[in-house]
Amino acid sequence: MSFKPKVGIISCSGEDCTGGNISREATLKALHELRPNETVTICLPLFLAGDEGERSFAKTFPTITVDGCNKLCAAISTARFSSDPSVKINVEDYAECISLNPKEKWRIGESATVVEHIAEEIARQVDRLREEWE
Amino acid sequence: MSRKYVLPCAGYDRPGGKIGREAAEILADEDLEVVVGSVAALFAERPGEVKDFRSSQVICIDGCSVKCASKMAQARGNKDVLAVDVTESIAAIEDSKERGQAVVESVRRLYQNAVSKALPDFPSKDIDDSEFFIEKIDKFILKVQKGLYYSDNDFWARIEGEDVRIGASDLLQQMASDIFFVELAEIGKKVEFGDDVGGFESTKTAIEIITPISGTILERNELLENSPELVNESPYGPGWFYLVKPDDIDELELLKDASEYITYAVEKAKHELGKKV
């Protein structure tokens, strides 16, 4: 049986925006419900603060970044400190930020469907990356 | 400083991160002066984020012992961050629903302590509207504090014992708009009436500080280095520039008193607005 790595997921840390909240919720759903045994979380602030464990994992194993907006902080930071993320997911590809309800920056309401879609996409990509790993 | 930049730990998959975010939400809901920051945006030095960061009292909420939020704030040049440790704040709290509020209380205590320590040099006497001449010009409200002396360059002078404190008038700070940088002269410098002694920059202009009194600089407002916006927020209060030992206190007679200055200031404001009101 061949080795299948866990996939690191790095989510946006935009606190005061709905896209950031959606990205985190989707990431948590994938991490804890959809693919709990196939994924690990990589803490973006810890990653930025220089934690070697987080950075070396992302250098070696496949990663998926989940950004809340087109500024792509998670993807850019991962590329700068480790290596290019294997997959870059952007919430704005699923829902234009302008259409998102600003009240949901703290608690998800009607964006639950978007969260669901992104979480499923994360899970699909996790499966693909593990399948293609050599 | 009234504006607060609250930077919670963004560790979304850690209990401390979740509680820190809850606390930030409560603080933002309760206080319009609270801006919630983002570790990643600060790291990326996004212009809007950096502006908020530099113009506010920074309060970090660290979710774990790594203290990512504090480290990031310090790495971005702020050595005076106030930091709350979620783990310590919630140590004695058993009910998980009360943990966010416990962190909020820690933030409030820390902030109040910092504010009371930060302003020891300025008289704490409350200033109420009866102490001002107030004129409304178009949508602008112009305040001139009574009992002070004013120069034609729109700086004020206040006698405090044997010394004189100086600052910018409300008109001047309104004309300047958002001040983001203040450069002050060294303590001990001898100055002559009308000398420029430092200056400040705003989003609209750069202005020299013209001293309305001759003398020696005894104190300068060190708070303005990190909090230049105090000049806008409280020009007659914590936004002062210098405390000067005057060569001749009678020199103040060359200046306008408040009732003369309000007339002058209204005309100047109308001129600046470019219309007759």
Side-chain angles (χ1 to χ4, degrees):
Chain A
M1 190 174 124
S2 61
F3 170 73
K4 298 287 182 194
K6 289 198 174 189
V7 176
I9 307 184
I10 307 168
S11 184
C12 162
S13 81
E15 297 292 346
D16 210 11
C17 65
T18 302
N21 201 20
I22 290 173
S23 71
R24 286 189 292 274
E25 289 291 326
T27 299
L28 289 172
K29 192 172 181 61
L31 279 166
H32 296 306
E33 296 176 27
L34 303 182
R35 298 293 183 272
N37 300 317
E38 294 85 10
T39 54
V40 293
T41 174
I42 293 180
C43 176
L44 182 58
L46 198 53
F47 188 83
L48 298 176
D51 185 86
E52 267 313 304
E54 309 274 316
R55 288 186 182 184
S56 62
F57 180 94
K59 273 181 191 160
T60 313
F61 295 107
T63 52
I64 298 174
T65 53
V66 188
D67 276 296
C69 72
N70 287 330
K71 288 165 187 147
L72 303 177
C73 294
I76 290 169
S77 305
T78 305
R80 189 184 300 179
F81 291 120
S82 292
S83 55
D84 271 338
S86 312
V87 175
K88 300 173 191 173
I89 290 175
N90 179 0
V91 170
E92 291 207 38
D93 292 337
Y94 296 78
E96 281 186 36
C97 261
I98 200 163
S99 69
L100 298 173
N101 183 348
K103 288 180 181 169
E104 295 190 45
K105 65 186 177 186
W106 298 113
R107 243 171 286 286
I108 297 298
E110 61 198 29
S111 300
T113 316
V114 180
V115 169
E116 197 76 30
H117 285 160
I118 295 173
E120 285 167 3
E121 178 61 16
I122 294 170
R124 260 194 302 277
Q125 294 294 344
V126 167
D127 294 343
R128 183 182 66 78
L129 290 169
R130 282 165 55 80
E131 193 58 42
E132 293 174 359
W133 180 265
E134 291 177 0
Chain B
M1 189 185 306
S2 56
R3 194 172 163 87
K4 300 138 207 143
Y5 176 91
V6 174
L7 186 63
C9 162
Y12 54 91
D13 197 28
R14 294 168 187 236
K18 185 168 182 288
I19 294 165
R21 190 170 294 114
E22 279 175 22
E25 178 188 0
I26 295 169
L27 288 163
D29 279 350
E30 291 181 355
D31 186 349
L32 292 175
E33 298 285 350
V34 165
V35 177
V36 179
S38 159
V39 171
L42 190 57
F43 172 80
E45 296 187 278
R46 214 179 283 156
E49 191 79 14
V50 172
K51 181 172 183 286
D52 287 337
F53 176 74
R54 290 188 180 154
S55 62
S56 313
Q57 171 64 60
V58 176
I59 303 170
C60 297
I61 303 178
D62 288 307
C64 71
S65 60
V66 183
K67 301 186 186 300
C68 298
S70 293
K71 282 182 184 169
M72 186 55 66
Q74 286 166 2
R76 286 290 168 265
N78 191 326
K79 306 297 180 198
D80 299 320
V81 296
L82 303 176
V84 167
D85 185 319
V86 169
T87 316
E88 287 175 12
S89 300
I90 64 170
I93 310 292
E94 290 184 3
D95 187 342
S96 60
K97 290 177 185 168
E98 293 177 5
R99 290 179 170 168
Q101 192 61 43
V103 175
V104 168
E105 295 307 322
S106 294
V107 169
R108 287 196 184 119
R109 276 195 300 275
L110 191 66
Y111 179 72
Q112 286 306 326
N113 286 342
V115 167
S116 59
K117 282 180 190 165
L119 302 173
D121 296 328
F122 191 76
S124 59
K125 183 165 75 77
D126 289 337
I127 298 172
D128 65 44
D129 280 352
S130 68
E131 296 183 38
F132 294 93
F133 290 115
I134 298 175
E135 288 285 343
K136 195 167 183 190
I137 306 157
D138 204 356
K139 65 180 181 180
F140 299 99
I141 295 172
L142 181 63
K143 287 188 173 185
V144 171
Q145 190 171 11
K146 298 173 186 174
L148 309 188
Y149 297 88
Y150 295 86
S151 70
D152 288 352
N153 310 102
D154 306 296
F155 293 90
W156 54 260
R158 176 195 290 125
I159 298 172
E160 294 184 7
E162 295 181 348
D163 304 323
V164 173
R165 195 177 297 269
I166 66 177
S169 72
D170 181 43
L171 172 65
L172 184 55
Q173 71 81 15
Q174 290 201 51
M175 288 194 301
S177 191
D178 295 337
I179 295 167
F180 62 80
F181 176 71
V182 179
E183 183 177 31
L184 295 177
E186 295 298 317
I187 292 171
K189 183 180 173 70
K190 292 190 74 68
V191 298
E192 294 292 326
F193 180 93
D195 279 356
D196 60 89
V197 280
F200 53 90
E201 291 179 34
S202 71
T203 49
K204 282 170 61 177
T205 186
I207 294 176
E208 292 173 338
I209 298 170
I210 309 293
T211 177
I213 185 87
S214 305
T216 306
I217 296 174
L218 296 176
E219 291 178 22
R220 61 182 198 169
N221 190 350
E222 303 288 354
L223 287 176
L224 299 181
E225 183 181 356
N226 288 325
S227 308
E229 71 284 356
L230 285 174
V231 180
N232 294 118
E233 292 173 0
S234 187
Y236 301 113
W240 59 278
F241 293 134
Y242 298 107
L243 187 68
V244 174
K245 184 173 186 56
D247 291 339
D248 178 6
I249 197 82
D250 291 339
E251 202 174 44
L252 292 176
E253 299 303 324
L254 298 170
L255 305 177
K256 291 178 168 59
D257 66 20
S259 61
E260 292 168 328
Y261 180 70
I262 186 71
T263 307
Y264 171 83
V266 167
E267 287 306 312
K268 196 165 183 174
K270 287 176 184 174
H271 179 75
E272 289 296 319
L273 288 169
K275 62 179 184 179
K276 302 283 183 192
V277 180

